[in-house]
């Protein structure tokens, strides 16, 4: 395996881990929202889960991308994950404040 492939695998593994953590948090928050009848938060969580699925699709595209498009695809995925994580944290904060 070349150094480039090892580096890409490390990036993919990190991204996959971030997505899995966000997914777990969202599922937990969704359960809380359903149990407390927090409709507004539930709608936001469902939207974030949809966004997570779109990110997973982008990760698949990233893994299949060639040298010329890899860095752009990686930046796109990383920024989408950062936005998702920020949104998850905002929802978590709402529940902690309630």
């Amino acid at each position: 395996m070349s150094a480039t492939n090892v580096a890409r695998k490390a990036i993919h593994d990190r991204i996959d881990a971030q997505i899995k953590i966000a997914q777990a948090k969202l599922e937990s928050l969704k359960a809380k929202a359903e149990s407390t009848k927090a409709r507004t938060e539930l709608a936001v969580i469902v939207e974030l889960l949809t966004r997570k699925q779109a990110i997973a699709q982008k990760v698949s595209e990233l893994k299949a991308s060639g040298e010329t498009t890899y860095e752009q695809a990686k930046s796109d995925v990383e920024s989408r994950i950062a936005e998702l994580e920020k949104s998850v944290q905002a929802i978590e904060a709402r529940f902690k404040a309630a």
Side-chain angles (χ1 to χ4, degrees), residues 22-23 25-34 37-53 83-95:
Q23 173 78 30
K25 286 181 179 181
L26 286 170
E27 293 295 339
S28 174
L29 291 168
K30 183 179 177 191
K32 283 182 186 178
E34 288 171 343
K37 307 278 190 269
R39 294 178 204 272
T40 303
E41 287 80 3
L42 184 58
V44 172
I45 292 165
V46 169
E47 191 272 326
L48 291 175
L49 285 166
T50 302
R51 231 193 290 171
K52 192 235 32 115
Q53 290 174 334
E83 289 174 24
L84 179 66
E85 289 173 334
K86 186 188 266 187
S87 297
V88 170
Q89 289 170 352
I91 294 288
E92 286 178 319
R94 282 191 203 174
F95 276 103

Side-chain angles (χ1 to χ4, degrees), residues 2-97:
S2 72
T4 302
N5 288 344
V6 170
R8 280 188 176 193
K9 177 152 178 26
I11 290 167
H12 298 163
D13 290 347
R14 178 181 48 82
I15 288 170
D16 287 341
Q18 288 176 292
I19 290 172
K20 286 177 183 172
I21 289 168
Q23 173 78 30
K25 286 181 179 181
L26 286 170
E27 293 295 339
S28 174
L29 291 168
K30 183 179 177 191
K32 283 182 186 178
E34 288 171 343
S35 70
T36 61
K37 307 278 190 269
R39 294 178 204 272
T40 303
E41 287 80 3
L42 184 58
V44 172
I45 292 165
V46 169
E47 191 272 326
L48 291 175
L49 285 166
T50 302
R51 231 193 290 171
K52 192 235 32 115
Q53 290 174 334
I55 292 170
Q57 176 60 37
K58 289 290 184 182
V59 170
S60 295
E61 292 172 14
L62 172 68
K63 290 178 180 179
S65 66
E67 288 297 316
T68 56
T69 59
Y70 185 80
E71 285 302 318
Q72 178 60 41
K74 181 175 91 87
S75 294
D76 182 39
V77 167
E78 289 175 335
S79 69
R80 288 172 185 247
I81 289 173
E83 289 174 24
L84 179 66
E85 289 173 334
K86 186 188 266 187
S87 297
V88 170
Q89 289 170 352
I91 294 288
E92 286 178 319
R94 282 191 203 174
F95 276 103
K96 287 178 183 171

